Amino acid sequence: MSVLNSAQQKAVAELLRVSPLADELGRRFTAAGHELHLVGGSVRDALLGSLNDDLDFCTDARPEQTLDVVKGWADAIWETGREFGTIGIQKDGVRIEITTFRAEAYDGVTRNPVVSYGDSLLADLSRRDFTINAMAVSLPGHEFTDPFGGLQDLARKLIRTPGAPESSFGDDPLRMLRAARFAAKLRFTVDEPVVAAMRDMAADLDRITAERVRDEFTKLMTAADPIAGLRLLVDTGLADRFIPEVSGLKLEIDEHAQHKDVYEHTLIVVMNAMRLEGDGGPDFVLRMASLMHDVGKPATKAVGRDGRVSFHHHEVVGARLTKQRMKAMKYPKDTISDVVGLVGLHLRFYGYGRGEWTDSAVRRYVTDAGPLLSRLHKLTRSDVTTRNRRKAAQLAADYDALEERIARIAAEEDLAKVRPDLDGNAIMELLGVPPGPVVGQAWRFLKELRLDRGPLDRDEAEAELFKWAREQGHIS
């Protein structure tokens, strides 16, 4: 242990903005005869100047002793992590997790630890995933503990494991995915021995549950630089274990049948989409759709007699593959639906040409996109990666024209609420039918008519309804 030097103290100033609260908690533990240390990601983020209001502490106190210390002081307490030695509390709007020193062993089949409490801060730090997460600051004394050179690795922007990476990943294979996630989040380089271990042990990721893999992958995709993380996943073979469609984008390039590199194109599309996200923060649905939009190409690749490569209906195949993959990764149904919808629609604009679409086609484009329209705009624009500046400018101008046309028709017809000109009650009254399939069929007919011709007045709508009903044999 050592007292922070002036440079370190300045870096930890962000951490110590909560010092009165943290020091007060430290004094309570000291009075009870226990140690308390700010640890892990909280120390790392403080040194990087990006600490949030979630703080992680470790202690030699057992969970029941921790509860005795915080009862009457904390604003709220939760014990959901107690079996793993963690007690959660909230104080003055700050969320705090306090975990007993651990000396874990893993069962070698799943990632679930067999919890064994330890009595040493150094032993606790040695079991952590990376050196940059294996630093601690004691409270209230503010002594800095860094047994594995985490501070130096922060300065070098390097991700290393405290011990041999093979041992660390053997204990918990999810750490391999976390290495890629931290590379994406922090824009750090992963140490070569760590990369080698990731490559050699990629198959061990199969021991991890789909939900845990999904959560790490989502964090990677919404990080500051997901491209770095994605490249690492593909290069080490980790992607093959849970999202092989991305690795599959590396199509073999035939010198006699040239086409652009689909894998590199995809990474550019993801970057382009990120630039269009706006101020709302990372948009996982948009980024994931950008990543998956061309995954149907390997299965649909064909070389014509003229040597030109085509990928007919790859958006349909890609939507199906995306749905299967995201279901396997246990994503929520609404998230899957949104991403799949964007993948399936991402080529629709290319039928627009120089504005040959009818107003009916524009209405259908908007209606089919529904609430995904703004994301579809961004994905479609992001998909233009041609180096031909003239072609890129023309495509951008064409899409500008389509958006302007959508805005004009929307202003005239309220496209966001395109519905039949007659509702279900009117249909039943006019046709003299009860609720049932006929009403639904009539409603869908009128909806299609509305998309084709725009708003109809009441007399036109009724006349069309009666005509349809007679043709279908519902009325004489």
Side-chain angles (χ1 to χ4, degrees), residues 112-184:
N112 296 325
V114 179
V115 176
S116 173
Y117 296 136
D119 297 305
S120 162
L121 173 64
L122 290 179
D124 183 274
L125 294 178
S126 70
R127 72 170 181 80
R128 293 179 180 266
D129 52 5
F130 305 112
T131 60
I132 58 174
N133 296 329
M135 297 178 284
V137 176
S138 68
L139 295 164
H142 299 172
E143 291 184 312
F144 184 62
T145 302
D146 179 19
F148 304 106
L151 189 63
Q152 183 180 27
D153 287 341
L154 272 185
R156 294 192 297 172
K157 297 185 176 182
L158 187 67
I159 296 172
R160 288 192 306 120
T161 53
E166 294 82 4
S167 175
S168 180
F169 297 157
D171 281 346
D172 185 359
L174 189 67
R175 289 173 173 172
M176 295 186 286
L177 194 49
R178 285 170 61 83
R181 194 248 292 182
F182 279 117

Side-chain angles (χ1 to χ4, degrees), residues 173 176 196-206 236-239 241:
M176 295 186 286
M198 292 166 68
R199 188 178 295 114
D200 293 341
M201 301 177 68
D204 285 11
L205 192 65
D206 297 349
T236 57
L238 283 166
R241 313 313 305 183

Side-chain angles (χ1 to χ4, degrees), residues 7-320:
Q8 294 162 0
Q9 244 174 0
K10 184 176 180 181
V12 179
E14 169 72 5
L15 178 158
L16 297 183
R17 67 182 172 82
V18 296
S19 179
L21 184 153
D23 284 348
E24 184 180 351
L25 183 61
R27 285 191 291 270
R28 293 180 70 90
F29 273 83
T30 299
H34 300 296
E35 301 175 33
L36 186 72
H37 306 270
L38 193 75
V39 72
S42 293
V43 176
R44 178 200 71 225
D45 290 344
L47 290 166
L48 293 172
S50 58
L51 187 69
N52 57 30
D53 288 331
D54 290 328
L55 302 180
D56 293 321
F57 294 87
C58 65
T59 179
D60 61 336
R62 300 300 190 258
E64 60 275 11
Q65 295 170 318
T66 294
L67 284 170
D68 289 339
V69 172
V70 300
K71 281 180 179 176
W73 181 78
D75 299 330
I77 299 175
W78 54 93
E79 302 181 42
T80 51
R82 183 170 179 169
E83 66 175 308
F84 298 109
T86 299
I87 300 297
I89 68 174
Q90 183 163 312
K91 177 70 173 179
D92 297 339
V94 178
R95 290 173 59 91
I96 294 171
E97 287 193 346
I98 306 167
T99 302
T100 302
F101 291 157
R102 291 191 342 208
E104 292 170 346
Y106 288 79
D107 61 17
V109 178
T110 70
R111 72 167 304 276
N112 296 325
V114 179
V115 176
S116 173
Y117 296 136
D119 297 305
S120 162
L121 173 64
L122 290 179
D124 183 274
L125 294 178
S126 70
R127 72 170 181 80
R128 293 179 180 266
D129 52 5
F130 305 112
T131 60
I132 58 174
N133 296 329
M135 297 178 284
V137 176
S138 68
L139 295 164
H142 299 172
E143 291 184 312
F144 184 62
T145 302
D146 179 19
F148 304 106
L151 189 63
Q152 183 180 27
D153 287 341
L154 272 185
R156 294 192 297 172
K157 297 185 176 182
L158 187 67
I159 296 172
R160 288 192 306 120
T161 53
E166 294 82 4
S167 175
S168 180
F169 297 157
D171 281 346
D172 185 359
L174 189 67
R175 289 173 173 172
M176 295 186 286
L177 194 49
R178 285 170 61 83
R181 194 248 292 182
F182 279 117
K185 176 182 178 179
L186 302 174
R187 293 191 169 100
F188 280 16
T189 300
V190 180
D191 197 31
E192 185 51 43
V194 176
V195 174
M198 292 166 68
R199 188 178 295 114
D200 293 341
M201 301 177 68
D204 285 11
L205 192 65
D206 297 349
R207 290 161 43 192
I208 308 300
T209 64
E211 291 85 353
R212 297 304 303 274
V213 171
R214 174 202 65 204
D215 291 346
E216 283 296 328
F217 180 70
T218 301
K219 291 175 183 177
L220 184 156
M221 284 297 296
T222 53
D225 183 13
I227 306 306
L230 289 168
R231 288 192 185 280
L232 195 54
L233 293 181
V234 171
D235 293 346
T236 57
L238 283 166
D240 293 335
R241 313 313 305 183
F242 69 97
I243 190 164
E245 293 81 5
V246 175
S247 302
L249 293 171
K250 284 192 166 185
L251 300 179
E252 182 179 347
I253 306 296
D254 187 329
E255 62 179 328
H256 301 297
Q258 290 288 337
H259 62 83
K260 63 186 173 186
D261 186 322
V262 181
Y263 173 69
E264 292 297 333
H265 160 78
T266 295
L267 298 183
I268 294 171
V269 173
V270 174
M271 288 190 289
N272 289 345
M274 289 170 59
R275 297 188 187 101
L276 297 177
E277 284 176 330
D279 298 328
D283 184 343
F284 173 76
V285 168
L286 177 61
R287 294 187 184 191
M288 188 66 174
S290 301
L291 180 66
M292 303 296 284
H293 78 286
D294 275 349
V295 296
K297 281 189 171 180
T300 58
K301 179 183 176 183
V303 181
R305 292 181 178 179
D306 60 357
R308 299 185 66 178
V309 178
S310 64
F311 305 97
H312 293 306
H313 305 300
H314 77 266
E315 76 281 11
V316 177
V317 175
R320 184 179 71 249

Side-chain angles (χ1 to χ4, degrees), residues 415-460:
L415 280 182
K417 299 178 181 178
V418 171
R419 299 180 64 80
D421 297 286
L422 299 173
D423 62 18
N425 290 327
I427 291 169
M428 288 187 288
E429 181 180 345
L430 289 166
L431 299 185
V433 297
V438 172
V439 179
Q441 293 166 14
W443 192 93
R444 286 188 289 273
F445 163 74
L446 292 171
K447 171 76 175 290
E448 290 297 310
L449 194 65
R450 171 74 168 76
L451 289 170
D452 282 338
R453 291 168 49 180
L456 305 179
D457 62 34
R458 178 78 180 200
D459 290 343
E460 287 179 302

